Amino acid sequence: MGRIKTIARRSFLVGSTAILGGVAFGTYLYKREVENPLEAGLGAGEATFNPFVKINAETVTLITPRADVGQGAYSIQAHLIAEELDVDLADVRIEPGPPSPAYYNGVVAAEGMPIAATSDTFLARTGRGAADVAGKLLGLQLTGGSSTVPDMYDRLRMAGAVARETLIAAASVQTGIPKGQLKTENGAVILPDGTSLPYTELAEIAAETPVVKDVELRDPAMWRDLGKEHMRTDIIAKSTGTQAYGIDMQLDGMVHATTRTNPAIGGGILGFDATDAEGMRGVQAVIGITGGIAVVADNTWRAFQAAQAVDCDWGPSPYIGDTGLQFDAVAASFVADRQDSRFKDEGDVEGTSENADVLEAEYRIPYLAHAPLEPMSVTLKLSDGRLDIWTGTQIPGFVQMNAAKIAGLETDQVHVHALMSGGSFGRRLEDDYVRQAVEIAVQLPDTPIKMVWQREEDFTHDFPRPLAVARARGAVVDGAVDTFDLSIATPSVTESSLGRMGMPAMGPDVAIVAGAWDQPFAIPNYRVTGYRVPAMVPVSSWRSVGASGNGFLHESFMDELCHAAGVDPLAERLRLCSHDLSRKVLEAVGEMSDWGSELGPNRGRGLAFTLAFGVPTAQVVEVTQTEDGIRIDKVFVAAEVGRVLDPVNFEAQLSGGVIWGLGHAMNCELTYQDGIAQQDNYHAFEGMRLHQAPQIMVRGLENGEKIRGIGEPGVPPAAPALGNAIFAATGQRIREMPFSKHIDFV
């Protein structure tokens, strides 16, 4: 894959593109090695070689700092280290580690820059490098944007290799045998006579051995597990019901709490009467918190019941409170002073040819809740100037910082223990629930507290995916797509999210047009414009962020133009495709689905393609129109990620993305009345049912040199592929989600 095999230890910090960016930010500061957070807690005889590996006489511990929200992040990070360290994961301990700048994310920041994934210019490389520099200097420890594998691929392999070679050096010191005569196998250094020295027995001497700085990474052809089918480290626990999640945390003497805040978003509380609640069985306290109240009881159910018994005087929401008016505000934002970006502007979209057939369309997508299965929960204890927090989170550093502010502590007095999450889809990029719990802890010091939200609290106080309206105008000339002009208006996720983190949002928000402006098609006249809607209901990142809706907007209109031109949708995309890797993905999905073959009466195929998070992904959906509605029969998915590190999880992530994308397109929306979300539980926010799940065929392509992530790219093409298939089967073009407003599903 053209990678440099020998990587100096400084490559933990410096990559080739980052060097370019480092010039602008200060190369010295960027190259300076970050502090290893594992060193502070080392005991006698313990050794750490870098922020990712720790060894003592009992065990080897691997640090996997990217959050696991069900996507297998802990597992793949552990495998990356283990492959180079030469250990069996059944014999080691896996921990997420503490919040630390050492675990910064240098890839995710690049998603916020207007750099097309297909661009490899000097400016593009410099921009990506600058993003890596910013990630390091800010200590941006964050899980999201399908960045875990791209960001950690070299760093974790390097960590394992450095530890391996340092342990070999320690064995050489202990035995007097030259390093060149030693090798490693299954967690031990092997001497020439076959004697095995377990790493754990070398821990004490390794602690005194200088870290080996220059190492050689193993050729992927020699990998034992990576690239081959292997078991995720959490699969047994999850299959047997023994996996512990954040909500399962237990402390001795723990009390149980819940909170209730104004259902009208941002409305605050004017006062409350807790008389009835305080007299209920098991209730220990009713206290005020920002925007609402908290109830503390002897179990969670009693806390839930008492919270509903508190008589609260709520204030009105400061935002536009009704969905119809919210959409009116979006539609009114297609004006010059609301223009946020125009990253794609090629040719002349205004100068339509006289012999062109012009097509115009408007599309709408709704607010969507995250709705992870595990509700928001946190366990914590504030005592003697120390605050411990146990929760599932994608932003441990921000949790630590914000909790310290509320508790009046220094950040090093706050200890965040990241736990496995029962889903997120972006919801745990927020820390509102943790902040509430810290407010409770400040009022109840020396008391272990578990705070759990009711499901209704989660739905009504989510930061949803924003609603959007798109206006599209295109033209076909002589049986070919000639003009594509797409305008998208939506609130800014970046502005909203960074505002809650206390950070300014500077410049255009790429998320507004992500998955639309950067598509690899050489359309002669091609323009994508983003319009920023004034802030309404606070919004947040949702699985695949802007591309989640923009894939539907872009690919639905592309299909409409192909139909208007009378051309095959796959053939026309292939003709227009200007990116070799994307073309191969389109060809692959066409072959997989036997595109062009006859399906029979009342059946249809739909194709969609989206390049998101650097991953070209194409999907074909097959449907049947029955007497009772549309049945989704099969979905074919092809994606290019450079290298498939875990084939089983790769298929699971793409399949899950398909189900997620289809289910929300079919049935889901979050609507508001008087600022209150009207869907407050799963019965009103119903995704795909088990009997509706199609057969899904997945193919991973490995033609690219860059390693990519796969947690999100399967989502954006699903909705448009389904909509295009429904049109092929019925002749009905659906331009609004959820589709169930216009058609039935069986």
Side-chain angles (χ1 to χ4, degrees):
M1 296 179 62
R3 293 183 171 271
I4 301 173
K5 288 186 176 180
T6 301
I7 304 180
R9 186 171 181 239
R10 65 179 179 271
S11 290
F12 280 125
L13 310 177
V14 182
S16 58
T17 58
I19 288 286
L20 300 171
V23 173
F25 282 83
T27 305
Y28 169 74
L29 286 176
Y30 179 68
K31 287 185 177 181
R32 189 169 61 187
E33 195 163 342
V34 294
E35 182 179 348
N36 181 353
L38 305 182
E39 291 179 349
L42 287 181
E46 286 191 307
T48 179
F49 317 105
N50 50 64
F52 303 99
V53 182
K54 182 171 66 175
I55 298 176
N56 60 28
E58 283 74 43
T59 189
V60 175
T61 300
L62 309 184
I63 305 300
T64 56
R66 294 293 176 263
D68 199 308
V69 293
Q71 84 282 37
Y74 287 166
S75 182
I76 192 60
Q77 290 173 92
H79 274 95
L80 285 166
I81 302 171
E83 195 70 66
E84 293 292 340
L85 183 53
D86 210 352
V87 292
D88 188 327
L89 289 179
D91 300 328
V92 305
R93 178 180 296 155
I94 300 172
E95 296 179 358
S100 170
Y103 305 125
Y104 78 93
N105 192 326
V107 168
V108 72
E111 282 295 320
M113 304 182 72
I115 304 172
T118 55
S119 177
D120 195 37
T121 65
F122 175 81
L123 286 176
R125 296 194 303 272
T126 302
R128 294 187 189 107
D132 186 79
V133 172
K136 182 191 174 186
L137 296 184
L138 292 172
L140 186 63
Q141 185 179 354
L142 178 151
T143 304
S146 296
S147 62
T148 292
V149 168
D151 185 63
M152 288 294 194
Y153 179 69
D154 283 330
R155 292 168 71 187
L156 294 183
R157 292 170 64 213
M158 182 67 183
V162 165
R164 179 192 72 225
E165 294 304 314
T166 305
L167 285 161
I168 288 176
S172 178
V173 170
Q174 179 169 303
T175 64
I177 299 173
K179 291 190 296 183
Q181 297 180 28
L182 304 175
K183 62 179 182 178
T184 61
E185 183 178 335
N186 290 332
V189 176
I190 309 301
L191 307 186
D193 64 359
T195 300
S196 176
L197 293 178
Y199 291 163
T200 51
E201 294 183 8
L202 293 167
E204 187 170 355
I205 191 171
E208 304 300 326
T209 302
V211 173
V212 177
K213 296 184 177 181
D214 295 315
V215 301
E216 184 173 306
L217 298 180
R218 290 180 168 172
D219 190 321
M222 305 302 292
W223 284 348
R224 298 173 306 166
D225 293 323
L226 290 177
K228 304 176 178 64
E229 290 191 1
H230 59 260
M231 185 183 297
R232 262 174 51 170
T233 56
D234 59 350
I235 201 65
I236 293 177
K238 288 184 174 179
S239 299
T240 57
T242 58
Q243 177 65 58
Y245 296 94
I247 200 171
D248 298 316
M249 184 66 192
Q250 298 288 328
L251 294 176
D252 292 338
M254 184 171 69
V255 298
H256 300 263
T258 195
T259 64
R260 182 176 162 217
T261 52
N262 194 333
I265 301 299
I269 188 169
L270 305 178
F272 66 92
D273 181 353
T275 303
D276 291 343
E278 289 172 336
M280 296 175 70
R281 182 182 178 188
V283 174
Q284 299 176 11
V286 179
I287 57 181
I289 61 169
T290 302
I293 57 96
V295 173
V296 180
D298 58 359
N299 67 41
T300 298
W301 176 249
R302 289 172 181 164
F304 283 178
Q305 297 300 102
Q308 297 307 310
V310 178
D311 183 12
C312 296
D313 184 9
W314 302 124
S317 173
Y319 305 109
I320 298 174
D322 297 292
T323 293
L325 296 176
Q326 291 166 344
F327 269 113
D328 289 344
V330 177
S333 295
F334 289 99
V335 291
D337 63 354
R338 300 305 308 171
Q339 182 176 319
D340 187 73
S341 69
R342 184 169 280 169
F343 303 131
K344 171 77 72 174
D345 191 4
E346 299 172 354
D348 180 10
V349 299
E350 307 290 350
T352 307
S353 171
E354 291 184 1
N355 63 336
D357 292 324
V358 177
L359 180 68
E360 295 184 349
E362 181 173 289
Y363 302 87
R364 291 190 171 200
I365 59 175
Y367 287 114
L368 288 175
H370 295 87
L373 188 60
E374 180 192 7
M376 300 301 101
S377 65
V378 56
T379 303
L380 72 174
K381 183 179 180 180
L382 175 61
S383 183
D384 297 326
R386 175 186 173 110
L387 175 61
D388 285 277
I389 299 172
W390 293 267
T391 190
T393 178
Q394 295 169 254
I395 51 169
F398 286 102
V399 167
Q400 182 185 48
M401 177 181 66
N402 292 328
K405 290 178 181 178
I406 295 169
L409 302 173
E410 299 297 324
T411 54
D412 61 3
Q413 295 174 286
V414 178
H415 302 266
V416 178
H417 311 273
L419 303 177
M420 182 78 77
S421 298
S424 173
F425 314 112
R427 182 61 179 89
R428 298 178 204 278
L429 286 165
E430 304 288 341
D431 67 349
D432 49 332
Y433 57 102
V434 179
R435 296 190 200 199
Q436 289 184 347
V438 176
E439 286 194 52
I440 300 170
V442 168
Q443 299 180 63
L444 297 174
D446 302 316
T447 305
I449 303 164
K450 176 186 283 186
M451 194 278 285
V452 180
W453 273 10
Q454 297 181 72
R455 181 71 64 191
E456 289 79 5
E457 192 76 6
D458 194 5
F459 265 89
T460 55
H461 293 86
D462 193 10
F463 301 98
R465 184 192 77 175
L467 76 176
V469 173
R471 292 175 179 170
R473 179 182 179 276
V476 296
V477 177
D478 298 330
V481 175
D482 177 78
T483 300
F484 191 112
D485 187 12
L486 182 66
S487 296
I488 303 167
T490 185
S492 170
V493 164
T494 303
E495 178 185 358
S496 188
S497 296
L498 290 183
R500 289 188 294 279
M501 294 182 182
M503 300 171 63
M506 298 178 290
D509 183 1
V510 176
I512 290 175
V513 292
W517 81 273
D518 50 357
Q519 301 308 286
F521 298 112
I523 301 171
N525 307 295
Y526 196 6
R527 184 169 73 185
V528 177
T529 308
Y531 293 87
R532 184 179 299 201
V533 176
M536 296 190 289
V537 172
V539 293
S540 182
S541 297
W542 188 90
R543 189 176 184 181
S544 70
V545 202
S548 67
N550 294 340
F552 170 66
L553 304 176
H554 188 282
E555 287 301 279
S556 295
F557 191 58
M558 178 69 84
D559 199 72
E560 292 204 46
L561 288 173
C562 290
H563 178 72
V567 295
D568 178 84
L570 176 58
E572 184 68 350
R573 283 178 174 82
L574 286 169
R575 183 185 73 83
L576 293 169
C577 188
S578 57
H579 181 230
D580 184 59
L581 297 178
S582 296
R583 183 180 299 105
K584 290 177 179 178
V585 166
L586 283 163
E587 291 171 344
V589 84
E591 180 211 335
M592 293 167 66
S593 63
D594 195 19
W595 182 269
S597 62
E598 287 295 325
L599 284 175
N602 300 316
R603 302 195 67 208
R605 283 193 191 97
L607 168 70
F609 169 93
T610 307
L611 196 161
F613 305 96
V615 179
T617 307
Q619 295 181 20
V620 171
V621 172
E622 291 184 1
V623 302
T624 299
Q625 183 183 25
T626 73
E627 291 182 357
D628 298 317
I630 291 292
R631 183 183 70 235
I632 306 175
D633 301 314
K634 296 179 180 180
V635 181
F636 303 88
V637 191
E640 167 62 61
V641 290
R643 187 180 290 277
V644 177
L645 300 176
D646 182 346
V648 176
N649 200 44
F650 177 88
E651 180 175 352
Q653 288 301 297
L654 274 179
S655 298
V658 168
I659 296 296
W660 179 258
L662 292 179
H664 284 84
M666 292 163 61
N667 298 319
C668 295
E669 65 176 338
L670 203 61
T671 61
Y672 290 85
Q673 184 176 337
D674 297 326
I676 302 173
Q678 299 302 287
Q679 295 74 25
D680 64 0
N681 212 319
Y682 290 118
H683 72 282
F685 195 81
E686 183 177 322
M688 178 180 283
R689 308 296 289 186
L690 186 61
H691 73 272
Q692 296 174 314
Q695 182 181 3
I696 302 174
M697 279 66 68
V698 172
R699 182 180 298 179
L701 277 63
E702 300 178 282
N703 298 308
E705 289 193 0
K706 292 183 179 179
I707 303 296
R708 303 291 190 179
I710 201 60
E712 295 168 284
V715 176
L722 174 59
N724 297 340
I726 291 171
F727 174 78
T730 69
Q732 181 177 358
R733 182 68 71 178
I734 301 176
R735 294 172 174 159
E736 178 186 21
M737 292 194 281
F739 296 166
S740 57
K741 286 185 172 182
H742 307 279
I743 202 164
D744 293 327
F745 292 91
V746 296

